[in-house]
């Protein structure tokens, strides 16, 4: 069992920045790939970024490429999502999730598809 907890959400204006943090106390966290996904009201689940277990392979959705930066610090059992130049369309509940490498599919529709997931943190960007 891996218990994920997100933090760092909030309300910012367009162009602002936030850093989301995802932590887990279990050492097993280090062996999992970690995903950031988001869901806006009335919309489906959208993957944002994911990091492999070692933290060296990082992937971004086109919608956030160049603005968001993900990183994984296995020494601290923490994954970060630095979000810059935020836009109103980034407004959503952001979740971190963990799973074994190779399982993820962009067609997954709920956070329950992931082996482990956090409760989410709200990000609101006003124009």
């Amino acid at each position: 069992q891996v218990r994920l907890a997100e933090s760092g959400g909030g309300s910012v204006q367009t162009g602002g920045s936030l850093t989301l943090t995802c932590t887990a106390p279990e050492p097993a966290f280090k062996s999992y790939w970690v995903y950031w996904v988001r869901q806006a009201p009335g919309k489906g689940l959208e993957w944002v970024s994911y990091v492999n277990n070692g933290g060296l392979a990082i992937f971004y959705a086109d919608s956030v490429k160049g603005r968001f930066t993900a990183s994984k610090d296995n020494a601290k059992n923490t994954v970060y999502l630095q979000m810059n130049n935020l836009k109103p369309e980034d407004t959503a509940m952001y979740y971190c999730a963990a799973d074994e490498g190779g399982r993820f599919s962009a067609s997954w529709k709920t956070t329950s598809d992931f082996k482990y997931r956090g409760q989410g943190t709200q990000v609101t960007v006003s124009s």
Side-chain angles (χ1 to χ4, degrees):
Q1 181 73 15
V2 173
R3 294 162 294 166
L4 303 174
E6 306 95 337
S7 62
S11 297
V12 296
Q13 292 188 325
T14 298
S17 298
L18 288 170
T19 300
L20 305 185
T21 300
C22 174
T23 61
E26 295 82 5
F29 180 70
K30 297 176 178 56
S31 64
Y32 288 102
W33 291 46
V34 178
Y35 302 81
W36 288 102
V37 296
R38 66 187 181 185
Q39 189 158 23
K43 295 191 175 181
L45 195 69
E46 177 189 15
W47 77 270
V48 174
S49 178
Y50 58 95
V51 187
N52 76 334
N53 52 343
L56 297 181
I58 306 174
F59 303 88
Y60 300 97
D62 287 344
S63 59
V64 306
K65 202 171 292 182
R67 301 187 297 120
F68 290 12
T69 303
S71 59
K72 189 173 193 259
D73 187 340
N74 279 334
K76 296 182 178 179
N77 262 28
T78 301
V79 173
Y80 304 94
L81 184 68
Q82 172 69 43
M83 306 186 295
N84 296 326
N85 191 21
L86 283 160
K87 304 176 181 180
E89 51 263 43
D90 295 317
T91 294
M93 183 70 79
Y94 283 70
Y95 300 89
C96 74
D99 211 313
E100 297 160 2
R103 282 198 68 241
F104 171 66
S105 169
S107 65
W108 287 359
K109 299 187 184 304
T110 77
T111 56
S112 297
D113 289 320
F114 294 90
K115 190 164 188 175
Y116 305 109
R117 83 289 308 169
Q119 295 298 309
T121 186
Q122 177 69 37
V123 171
T124 303
V125 185
S126 58
S127 56

